[in-house]
Amino acid sequence: MALAVTSSSSSTAISKGIQNGSFRLLSDRPKPRTHGLNYSQRRFSVKALHAESKRNDSIVPLAATIAAHEGAEVVEKVEVEVAEENFEQLAKELENASPLEVMDKALEKFGNDIAIAFSGAEDVALIEYAHLTGRPFRVFSLDTGRLNPETYQFFDTVEKHYGIRIEYMFPDAVEVQALVRSKGLFSFYEDGHQECCRVRKVRPLRRALKGLRAWITGQRKDQSPGTRSEIPVVQVDPVFEGMDGGIGSLVKWNPVANVQGQDIWKFLRAMDVPVNPLHSQGYISIGCEPCTRPVLPGQHEREGRWWWEDAKAKECGLHKGNIKEENVDGNGNGAVHANGTAIVPDIFNTQNLVTLNRTGIENLARLEDRKEPWIVVLYAPWCQFCQAMEASYVELAEKLAGSGVKVGKFRADGDQKEYAQRELQLGSFPTILFFPKHSSRPIKYPSENRDVDSLMAFVNALR
């Protein structure tokens, strides 16, 4: 078993340890960039190679101190005691801290019992921040077996760039075999992605986190307004357990929670960080190959994931704790928490746009000879993809004001969803319909390109 730690032992002891083959220094590997850090002032950093698991299939804490005495290897186990702490208060204290400060605090507090979760996308920024702290750090990733070739190549690039070894977690072969044999390779297109993600991602993650006391994610508030808008920079993980087991045994750090996506990219370019080549092909959020595609103008970045499903389902289960339990009152007038408090305001608010209730949309759909054509969006205010096209649709309404084309909206979730699916061709949110002047049947907008120019071209082609 090869162990690796940060050690303050003498250089003689370290050199003997190397001769014995028990561990090797980072300096023996390809040297990562220093960005001006003075490594000579730091203690020797020794990186984990392969450690025996204390728990099956876990990323295991490597809390040990190694000293070599006259060629003999002496291993002293260090018991890590994490003091109980109010992480809500810590989150408030770090709310305005930079990602680098948050990363440094996380690595300082948890040492070898924390690891960065790396998906192979722009969350490579986390690895760069960890590198800049000058502290030793660990990285793990979930290899689902269905990733793009470019992502696998990117993993290798990142390992060489930083001189690290990513700790890969794999799904259980028996579970994958049973799923594929019973339902086929692409069952998620028919009955949803949750089952496949549970087998290939959630369960391997659960095993990984059982060997940690904390983990670091690349979640940002702007990634998914419906599920991630309130994530703090640090929290007690609401779903998964750490090595000590039980509720509260795992801490979750989100250093870039308050950073905008465009600022992440400015940072990556400024620091000359390698990125997944899929980003240059229009991919923003990157997951498994069958479930990821490039996004179009006017689309939210998460719309490239599981595009055949409703917006609320677009968490794979790794961050399930972000999803709030919501209800809609009988009138469809507001998403609320289970305790009755309102959480999501309405969208598409402009004087140039008509809000249709159930009676209004029914009357519009029945008319065979309308005075004016209409374009209507079927939406849900909690849907991040509806939110993403709000600016485009409001601008469309302003451009069409006085043109003889009415612009409307109909909230089609809650009690109205069944009717919208049955009578208005609702598949997922948002759905855009054009009601021609001399025809009762509406025409569904077929594209997912929702910028104002594309919507205007659709209207002009049919008006």
Side-chain angles (χ1 to χ4, degrees):
M1 176 174 70
L3 293 174
V5 297
T6 298
S7 174
S8 57
S9 303
S10 68
S11 58
T12 302
I14 291 176
S15 63
K16 290 181 179 180
I18 296 173
Q19 293 170 2
N20 292 334
S22 57
F23 54 86
R24 59 194 177 102
L25 294 173
L26 281 175
S27 58
D28 291 336
R29 298 183 178 183
K31 293 183 179 180
R33 301 165 301 124
T34 65
H35 292 301
L37 289 174
N38 187 353
Y39 281 84
S40 64
Q41 296 178 358
R42 287 178 20 213
R43 297 180 296 172
F44 288 106
S45 297
V46 185
K47 182 69 181 175
L49 302 178
H50 302 287
E52 293 179 359
S53 296
K54 296 180 183 177
R55 301 172 184 261
N56 292 335
D57 299 321
S58 295
I59 292 182
V60 178
L62 305 174
T65 300
I66 298 178
H69 296 285
E70 301 299 330
E73 193 176 350
V74 179
V75 179
E76 179 186 354
K77 181 178 179 181
V78 177
E79 296 292 341
V80 180
E81 294 184 359
V82 181
E84 291 186 8
E85 186 167 355
N86 186 337
F87 284 98
E88 287 187 9
Q89 180 60 37
L90 182 60
K92 292 178 181 178
E93 294 173 3
L94 295 174
E95 180 66 20
N96 296 316
S98 69
L100 184 60
E101 291 177 90
V102 177
M103 179 66 74
D104 187 66
K105 177 66 72 173
L107 296 178
E108 177 190 27
K109 276 186 169 294
F110 289 94
N112 216 25
D113 292 334
I114 190 171
I116 296 169
F118 178 45
S119 70
E122 78 276 8
D123 54 353
V124 67
L126 297 175
I127 300 177
E128 178 69 12
Y129 282 122
H131 171 74
L132 291 174
T133 68
R135 299 181 186 275
F137 60 95
R138 299 168 63 191
V139 180
F140 76 93
S141 188
L142 306 177
D143 184 351
T144 65
R146 303 295 294 268
L147 303 178
N148 287 277
E150 292 88 344
T151 299
Y152 288 112
Q153 293 164 5
F154 181 49
F155 285 151
D156 182 65
T157 299
V158 169
E159 287 188 323
K160 291 176 180 176
H161 186 78
Y162 291 102
I164 62 174
R165 282 287 176 262
I166 298 172
E167 302 172 54
Y168 297 101
M169 297 298 297
F170 300 90
D172 183 271
V174 174
E175 288 187 309
V176 173
Q177 179 176 285
L179 173 63
V180 173
R181 285 186 175 181
S182 63
K183 304 185 73 172
L185 285 167
F186 300 98
S187 60
F188 38 81
Y189 290 139
E190 299 174 5
D191 58 13
H193 72 274
Q194 296 296 339
E195 182 177 19
C196 184
C197 284
R198 185 163 55 249
V199 170
R200 294 181 182 270
K201 297 177 75 173
V202 178
R203 288 174 182 163
L205 176 65
R206 194 178 300 277
R207 294 197 305 269
L209 297 179
K210 277 289 189 178
L212 299 170
R213 286 188 168 87
W215 63 311
I216 302 169
T217 85
Q219 292 188 103
R220 304 192 319 271
K221 291 178 179 178
D222 70 333
Q223 281 176 325
S224 186
T227 61
R228 300 186 179 184
S229 61
E230 299 178 9
I231 56 171
V233 294
V234 61
Q235 63 188 133
V236 174
D237 195 297
V239 175
F240 295 103
E241 298 180 3
M243 67 170 68
D244 296 323
I247 298 174
S249 60
L250 185 71
V251 178
K252 187 175 184 179
W253 293 79
N254 309 300
V256 295
N258 298 318
V259 182
Q260 296 290 314
Q262 60 185 5
D263 293 324
I264 289 289
W265 278 98
K266 289 177 182 177
F267 171 73
L268 294 176
R269 294 186 186 101
M271 304 306 295
D272 195 24
V273 176
V275 297
N276 193 320
L278 289 173
H279 289 304
S280 64
Q281 301 174 35
Y283 293 79
I284 300 180
S285 178
I286 299 174
C288 294
E289 186 276 332
C291 302
T292 306
R293 67 178 182 178
V295 295
L296 299 169
Q299 288 187 299
H300 188 275
E301 64 181 79
R302 294 288 287 181
E303 203 158 356
R305 305 286 293 279
W306 310 294
W307 57 90
W308 61 93
E309 297 182 5
D310 277 357
K312 283 177 70 177
K314 302 206 176 194
E315 287 284 0
C316 62
L318 304 189
H319 304 296
K320 185 178 178 181
N322 296 336
I323 301 177
K324 293 183 174 60
E325 188 173 334
E326 298 174 0
N327 295 312
V328 179
D329 68 22
N331 299 318
N333 287 330
V336 296
H337 281 302
N339 63 11
T341 58
I343 57 169
V344 183
D346 200 12
I347 55 177
F348 305 122
N349 298 313
T350 172
Q351 62 182 6
N352 297 313
L353 195 149
V354 180
T355 300
L356 297 168
N357 58 20
R358 173 68 173 268
T359 302
I361 194 72
E362 286 178 339
N363 289 337
L364 180 63
R366 280 196 296 262
L367 289 174
E368 295 185 1
D369 190 11
R370 303 178 184 89
K371 292 182 179 180
E372 300 166 306
W374 284 70
I375 183 170
V376 178
V377 61
L378 311 181
Y379 75 102
W382 45 258
C383 167
Q384 63 261 47
F385 311 129
C386 298
Q387 295 167 5
M389 69 163 284
E390 182 177 17
S392 296
Y393 198 68
V394 168
E395 184 179 352
L396 178 72
E398 292 172 352
K399 286 190 172 185
L400 290 175
S403 70
V405 178
K406 291 285 189 180
V407 181
K409 66 176 183 177
F410 173 64
R411 180 167 177 171
D413 63 343
D415 292 345
Q416 311 304 329
K417 187 173 183 179
E418 183 180 353
Y419 162 75
Q421 290 174 326
R422 184 180 68 251
E423 302 293 340
L424 299 175
Q425 308 174 56
L426 175 67
S428 60
F429 296 116
T431 292
I432 301 170
L433 301 176
F434 185 83
F435 292 84
K437 190 173 182 179
H438 300 297
S439 174
S440 62
R441 181 169 177 79
I443 300 170
K444 185 175 181 178
Y445 181 55
S447 174
E448 293 184 350
N449 194 337
R450 304 188 190 109
D451 62 289
V452 66
D453 292 334
S454 297
L455 293 173
M456 183 64 80
F458 173 64
V459 171
N460 289 335
L462 299 173
R463 62 194 300 183

